[in-house]
Structures are given as C-alpha cells and as structure tokens.
Amino acid sequence: MNGIPHLTFDLDRPGVSRGHLVVPKGADCEALFLPVFGLNKGEGPRLLITGGCHGDELEGPIVARRLVEWLPEGQTCGRVIIVPVLNPPAVEACSRNTPIDGLNLNRVFPGRADGSLTERIADAVSRILLPMADTVFDLHSYGPGWEFPPATTTHPVADPELMAKTIKMAEAFKLPMTLVWEHAETAGMFDTLAQNQGKVFVCPELGGGNVSSEALAIYEAGMRNALIALGLVEGKAESPTFRQQKSSLTLETRRPSDELKSPARGIFEPRCSMLDVVKQGDLIGILHPMDSLSAGSTHILAPGTSVVCGIRSGGYVKIDEYIALLGRPRNR
Amino acid sequence: MNGIPHLTFDLDRPGVSRGHLVVPKGADCEALFLPVFGLNKGEGPRLLITGGCHGDELEGPIVARRLVEWLPEGQTCGRVIIVPVLNPPAVEACSRNTPIDGLNLNRVFPGRADGSLTERIADAVSRILLPMADTVFDLHSYGPGWEFPPATTTHPVADPELMAKTIKMAEAFKLPMTLVWEHAETAGMFDTLAQNQGKVFVCPELGGGNVSSEALAIYEAGMRNALIALGLVEGKAESPTFRQQKSSLTLETRRPSDELKSPARGIFEPRCSMLDVVKQGDLIGILHPMDSLSAGSTHILAPGTSVVCGIRSGGYVKIDEYIALLGRPRNR
C-alpha cells in the first residue's frame, strides 16, 4: 500500500489556503507534491484552474501564478482552486509527455491509482480536485514550434446544452480565437472526463511558439475576462489587443480535411500566418528538400476557403507531420 | 584515404551553377553532399552565404533558399555562393550540435580533414569555399526559446579597420539591431577564421523563437539591403517594419555583466521584451519555484541602464542558464 491521493491542507477553509496535492508513490517513483492554491469566498461558482499538463507549455503555469498573486484582492465570491503545474517531471524535462513513463497526461484520464506516475497524477486530480469544481479551465498552449493565436478551445460535446454553455464560456475569454476543434483522440482527455460529469470545461490554448511578456499579458487578460463572466471577479471584460486588433473569431475544424500534413520530409517554410484567410489554391507553405538545390520544392496549397488556426514554424519536418490546422466560421 | 573535400561542379562557370560540396567520409559516417548554389556575374564583390550551421536555427536556410530563387534575376555583377545548410545531420535532429559527434560546428573551425564529421564539414568549408569569398554572411538565429529581434552581430575584431568595415556591413542590413557582442568563446568560430584572413564576416542573428512568414519577410529584406550595399543587386535599401517601427539600433555588450543568468531553477516569467530600455532595478523577469506556492519567487532586476537585446521565453530554467542578454548604445 503506497497510500492514497490526498491534500495536505483543508481547501474548505474560508479565505486563502495553500498546500499540496499528494500523488502517492508507486513502483516508478516517490510521491509527488503538487502545489495547490485555494481561495474560498463562500457561495458562488466553483472553478478549478490547472496548468502544466504538458511540460513544454508553460504559458499556463505562468498565468496561473499571476492569478495566485491578485485573486486574493480580486475575487468577491465563490471558490477557486489553482494548480499551476500538474506534471512537474514533464516541466523539468521540457517535455510534452512525462519522462518517467512516456505517457501523455491528457490521454490517461481518469487515471489509475495503481498505475504509473502519469496515471497516478490523473487519478489524484480526478478523485480529489475535480469533484470540487463545476467549471474547469485547463491551461495549455499549442506548444513550441507553432504559430498559434491566443485562443480557447473545446472539442465537440454530445450534449447540446453543455456544448452551448461551454462555447459561451470559451467566448467569454474574448481571446482572438475560440475554436471548436474536432480532434482525433479524445479518449483519456481531462476534457472528456469533466464533460461526462456535466461540467463546463474550457481548454485555453495560450498561443504557440515563444512565451513573451506581451503574450502573457494577453493570456492574463483573457483569464480575467473569464473570471468576470463567471461572476468571481468584478470589472468590465475587455478584448485584449492582438496584432493591432481587438477582434474575436469563433471557428470550427473538421477531421481530417482541416489538418494539413507534410507530404515529404524537408525544411518547411511558412507562407501564411495564423488567422490569415486563405482561398483554395493559396500558398500555405513550401517544403524544401535538403539534399539538392536542383530538385523542386513542394508547394502546399489550401484545399479550400479557410482560416489558418495554426501553422508550423519554419523548421525541419518529417513525412506526415502536422504543418497547419485550418478552420472556418462556426455554423450555429 | 577517404578522399579530400571537393566540389562536384565548376563554381567558376559564368551564370548559375548548382552542385554539391563533398565532405569526405570518415570513421563515423559516409560522405556528406552539401547542396551549393553559385552565381557568377564576373567582376565585383565575392560573397559567401551559409546557413544551417546549427540545426535548430532554420531562419537562415529558408532565407538562403529565397535568395536562390530571385538572385538569378536580381544580381548584376560579382559572385555569390550560397550553402543553405552546412550541417544537415543537425537539422534532421533539430539539434544545435551535430548528433553524430556532439560537436558545435561553430566552435571547430578551421576543422580537421581527419577529424569527426563536424570537423570535416568545417575543414571542407574552410578549404574549398572560404578562399572564394571576400565577404561572408553566416546566417544564424538566437534559436528557439528566446525572444530576440532581427539582428546582425559581430564580435569585437582586433584590427580597427576591419572592425569598422564589419560594423558598416552589419548596419547595411538595416535590421532593428546591430550588435557588437563580446562573447565568451570565440575560438573555433567561423567568424574568427574569416576575420583572421582579413575578410568581412557578418553573422545575422535572424530573430529567436518561432519562425513565421512575417519574420521571414523581414530577414529577407535585410539580406536584400546588404546585397544592395555590396553592389551585387540594384535597388534602394529600406528598413523593414518591425513592431510598427523602422528603427535600427547599434548596441554593444560587455562580458560578463551583460549576460544575466538564472540564480536558481524554476519557471522563468519574462517581464520585459526585446529592445525594451530598462533602468537599474527594473524588473527583467521572475523565477518561480515549482515545488511550492508559499515560497517566494525571485525577482531578477536590471543591474543598470541597458537595452534588452534578448530574453528567454517563459520556460523552465536550471541554475546558471542564460535568461537575458543586455546591451547599450555603442560608443564610437
């Protein structure tokens, strides 16, 4: 018996509380202590904010840290629980997956108490924290190597009422893009588990590429807007300025046509930008073979009218790697 | 005898020529064939452009590819040789260093004919290509994980006349920053070898972080400006617009005070941006410990008035990792 997941402190205590969520030790490593922040202002919405599920997406942990700083003065009712980093070993390794067992934390929910580390983290979160919330924001980003706008995403949800509530919540961030993203693998996602329990689950995808102070200010503004919409914080929501604009688009993607993959290996040269509107035949990017300057480069063209949700940074890609995600305005 | 480095074609031929620079096989791998482009329009400047020295800096190879497209129509005199990728194994591995021997190509010049792969690449470039040029542009970038402006850099050169010519050439790119960068390790650099031979060597550092189509257009404009300044191409040089500005700063750094390092491990939150002017005590960034929300975060402050040349993206850093490079206007 290696113990059961538990909190080192009482999250029900009024006001601010801080402590750890203990993920019990297993055959593969010692117990993990995940720092947790709680702020209990009584009746009202119950919100769980998590970050650092993937170790190479640190926008979320940094924005979560900022909330920890100002929520004690800003929150007027309800309960907020914040876990800036769900997967410290992955963060230390700057790796999407957990280095100890190679698993993707966002594919093993609800986890297993007797599983490997990643499964035990999921189990602890599912059993201890998720029941304390009606709304979950799990902070991700599109990761390094991509150009992706500040966005909120959700995957299609079967229940139309929950879908509508989820999209409304996602749009309340007022970030440049709200994306209903048809995804290949939703089994084992934190999203799916929470939504199956009737909770509103929004996955902010806080940009891609590098994490600048300017970008972080936009992400923080989006979080503040969402907290205002929930009624946890007072104030007026304002669309953050992104590329000299204050616009918000709600888009959707369809599988597999909206996921462009590399037809060969080579150096990918992006020829359009995130949020560009492209028509059929427009140039998305060029794939340059590395072994010859005589052999032709491959032009990758837009299959139809669409908005570029995200595009790979210039870099070396292998065959069948994703190079762009396209979308279109959502039909209501 | 594994052969000697050689070209598969005649670079002296008038007009466009394409072929390979052969890096002979060694104990560690087979021969490498590096694609080379040549354009000989007779008398005039002799320019060598190289990219892809480091496998995680692909701005250079992409911009070099663009030059290969339009130089045949644009170049009016002189000779240009372009090697978009010096180190294909590093590019395939998305790695700064060569995966086969773990060496940094930009620390082993002039290389060794009987050395490991990285040393043999340096030897082939030093012996075959470098003698054909009076001016060298070796295209780098600050790499992923950093916010860094489009820039040209040079290290201090002992000969004042060559230093002046080098800075003039670097400024001719009209990129947002020209940096005279006092660097800890210049031994074995391509720069040092070329400068010791009296050549003008400029190292464009084409940004950092992700490689977008917008950024690539700026880098290409800088290259065009430099070719115009050399007289190889006709036209009017124009400062590219970067962050709604068309400004150019010439800065210098001093060791070790201008290299800020992380005092601890943790999640680094950048609190300023590239090209910001900071005063003593201004907040550069915050370092958040990952194991506790009660323990204090470390504020990293500017040691004096300076310009932020580059700053780490938000991410996990270990102790003594570089987190910012500061500079100041160069004293003439």
Side-chain angles (χ1 to χ4, degrees):
Chain A
M1 178 57 184
N2 291 317
I4 55 169
H6 62 278
L7 290 163
T8 60
F9 66 118
D10 181 10
L11 264 175
D12 290 331
R13 194 170 87 73
V16 170
S17 55
R18 294 163 206 260
H20 291 89
L21 172 66
V22 181
V23 178
K25 76 172 180 178
D28 51 1
C29 72
E30 289 300 306
L32 269 191
F33 290 74
L34 306 181
V36 176
F37 166 92
L39 181 45
N40 180 0
K41 291 248 174 145
E43 290 301 308
R46 300 188 311 153
L47 173 65
L48 170 64
I49 300 173
T50 51
C53 171
H54 296 134
D56 56 355
E57 302 171 3
L58 297 199
E59 292 85 346
I62 295 171
V63 170
R65 275 281 190 169
R66 291 193 179 186
L67 294 185
V68 166
E69 294 299 318
W70 61 256
L71 264 185
E73 290 201 2
Q75 185 182 327
T76 56
C77 69
R79 297 179 61 169
V80 177
I81 299 170
I82 301 179
V83 190
V85 179
L86 286 177
N87 196 344
V91 170
E92 284 185 22
C94 298
S95 156
R96 178 173 177 82
N97 290 3
T98 317
I100 292 166
D101 55 18
L103 294 177
N104 178 341
L105 175 55
N106 206 22
R107 297 295 182 279
V108 301
F109 276 88
R112 290 197 304 146
D114 60 350
S116 66
L117 176 63
T118 311
E119 296 169 310
R120 297 199 305 279
I121 295 173
D123 175 68
V125 172
S126 305
R127 281 210 270 168
I128 308 291
L129 299 180
L130 188 57
M132 296 180 178
D134 308 309
T135 303
V136 181
F137 301 156
D138 186 32
L139 312 184
H140 285 253
S141 75
Y142 220 71
W146 281 81
E147 195 193 37
F148 198 85
T152 49
T153 68
T154 175
H155 307 302
V157 179
D159 172 1
E161 196 184 330
L162 184 58
M163 177 87 274
K165 278 168 72 177
T166 301
I167 292 176
K168 190 175 170 204
M169 186 74 253
E171 288 176 334
F173 284 71
K174 294 183 174 288
L175 288 173
M177 181 168 77
T178 302
L179 183 63
V180 181
W181 183 6
E182 199 174 286
H183 200 279
E185 325 162 59
T186 51
M189 277 191 176
F190 192 14
D191 319 36
T192 311
L193 175 69
Q195 287 162 346
N196 287 346
Q197 296 177 9
K199 299 178 196 288
V200 170
F201 189 106
V202 172
C203 180
E205 291 276 354
L206 301 173
N210 63 341
V211 187
S212 66
S213 63
E214 288 181 351
L216 289 167
I218 294 173
Y219 309 150
E220 184 182 1
M223 292 295 290
R224 184 188 288 270
N225 288 340
L227 293 168
I228 290 169
L230 275 170
L232 288 162
V233 164
E234 289 178 355
K236 191 172 169 305
E238 273 197 56
S239 298
T241 302
F242 178 65
R243 303 171 130 214
Q244 297 98 62
Q245 291 188 29
K246 282 178 174 287
S247 54
S248 298
L249 280 172
T250 299
L251 303 173
E252 63 183 3
T253 70
R254 282 193 288 273
R255 293 201 60 248
S257 59
D258 285 331
E259 297 167 343
L260 296 192
K261 291 183 177 182
S262 173
R265 61 184 186 152
I267 294 176
F268 177 68
E269 173 184 351
R271 279 289 180 131
C272 59
S273 282
M274 53 186 168
L275 299 180
D276 278 357
V277 177
V278 290
K279 299 187 304 295
Q280 185 177 6
D282 281 354
L283 188 58
I284 298 282
I286 304 175
L287 201 64
H288 300 288
M290 203 163 41
D291 54 358
S292 168
L293 285 167
S294 310
S297 297
T298 305
H299 284 220
I300 296 159
L301 307 178
T305 299
S306 37
V307 180
V308 178
C309 300
I311 183 160
R312 269 288 301 248
S313 286
Y316 185 77
V317 295
K318 300 186 180 66
I319 193 165
D320 271 347
E321 266 189 54
Y322 286 110
I323 49 180
L325 180 67
L326 306 177
R328 60 197 51 71
R330 178 171 159 78
N331 295 318
R332 307 272 172 163
Chain B
M1 178 58 185
N2 291 317
I4 54 170
H6 62 278
L7 290 163
T8 60
F9 66 118
D10 181 9
L11 263 176
D12 291 331
R13 193 170 88 71
V16 169
S17 56
R18 294 163 207 261
H20 290 89
L21 172 66
V22 181
V23 179
K25 76 172 179 179
D28 50 0
C29 73
E30 289 301 306
L32 269 192
F33 289 75
L34 307 182
V36 177
F37 166 92
L39 181 46
N40 180 1
K41 291 247 174 145
E43 290 302 306
R46 301 187 311 152
L47 173 66
L48 170 63
I49 300 173
T50 51
C53 170
H54 296 134
D56 57 354
E57 302 172 5
L58 297 199
E59 293 84 346
I62 295 172
V63 170
R65 276 280 189 170
R66 291 193 178 185
L67 294 185
V68 166
E69 294 298 317
W70 61 256
L71 263 185
E73 291 200 3
Q75 186 182 326
T76 55
C77 69
R79 296 178 62 169
V80 178
I81 299 170
I82 301 179
V83 190
V85 179
L86 287 177
N87 196 344
V91 170
E92 283 184 24
C94 298
S95 156
R96 178 173 176 81
N97 290 3
T98 318
I100 291 164
D101 55 19
L103 294 177
N104 178 342
L105 175 56
N106 206 22
R107 296 295 182 279
V108 301
F109 276 87
R112 289 197 304 144
D114 60 349
S116 66
L117 176 62
T118 311
E119 295 169 312
R120 297 199 305 278
I121 295 174
D123 176 67
V125 173
S126 305
R127 281 211 271 167
I128 308 290
L129 299 180
L130 188 56
M132 297 180 178
D134 308 310
T135 303
V136 182
F137 301 155
D138 186 33
L139 313 184
H140 285 254
S141 74
Y142 220 72
W146 281 81
E147 195 193 36
F148 198 86
T152 49
T153 67
T154 175
H155 306 303
V157 179
D159 173 0
E161 196 183 330
L162 184 58
M163 178 87 273
K165 278 168 71 178
T166 302
I167 291 175
K168 190 174 169 203
M169 185 75 253
E171 288 176 335
F173 284 71
K174 294 182 173 290
L175 288 174
M177 181 169 79
T178 302
L179 183 63
V180 181
W181 182 6
E182 199 176 287
H183 200 279
E185 325 163 59
T186 51
M189 276 191 176
F190 192 14
D191 320 34
T192 310
L193 175 68
Q195 287 161 347
N196 287 346
Q197 297 178 9
K199 297 177 195 291
V200 171
F201 189 106
V202 173
C203 180
E205 292 276 353
L206 301 173
N210 63 342
V211 187
S212 66
S213 63
E214 289 180 351
L216 289 167
I218 294 173
Y219 309 150
E220 184 182 1
M223 292 295 290
R224 183 186 289 270
N225 289 340
L227 294 168
I228 291 169
L230 275 169
L232 287 163
V233 165
E234 289 179 355
K236 190 173 171 302
E238 273 197 57
S239 299
T241 302
F242 177 66
R243 303 172 129 211
Q244 297 99 61
Q245 291 188 31
K246 282 179 175 286
S247 55
S248 298
L249 279 173
T250 299
L251 303 173
E252 63 183 3
T253 69
R254 282 193 289 272
R255 292 200 59 246
S257 58
D258 285 332
E259 299 167 342
L260 296 192
K261 291 183 178 183
S262 174
R265 62 184 185 153
I267 294 177
F268 178 68
E269 174 184 348
R271 279 290 180 130
C272 60
S273 281
M274 52 186 167
L275 299 180
D276 279 357
V277 177
V278 290
K279 298 187 304 296
Q280 184 177 8
D282 281 355
L283 188 58
I284 299 280
I286 304 175
L287 201 64
H288 300 288
M290 204 164 38
D291 55 358
S292 168
L293 286 167
S294 309
S297 297
T298 305
H299 284 219
I300 296 159
L301 307 179
T305 298
S306 36
V307 180
V308 178
C309 300
I311 183 160
R312 270 288 301 248
S313 287
Y316 186 77
V317 296
K318 300 186 180 65
I319 192 164
D320 271 348
E321 266 190 54
Y322 285 111
I323 49 179
L325 179 67
L326 305 178
R328 61 196 51 72
R330 178 171 158 79
N331 295 319
R332 307 270 171 164

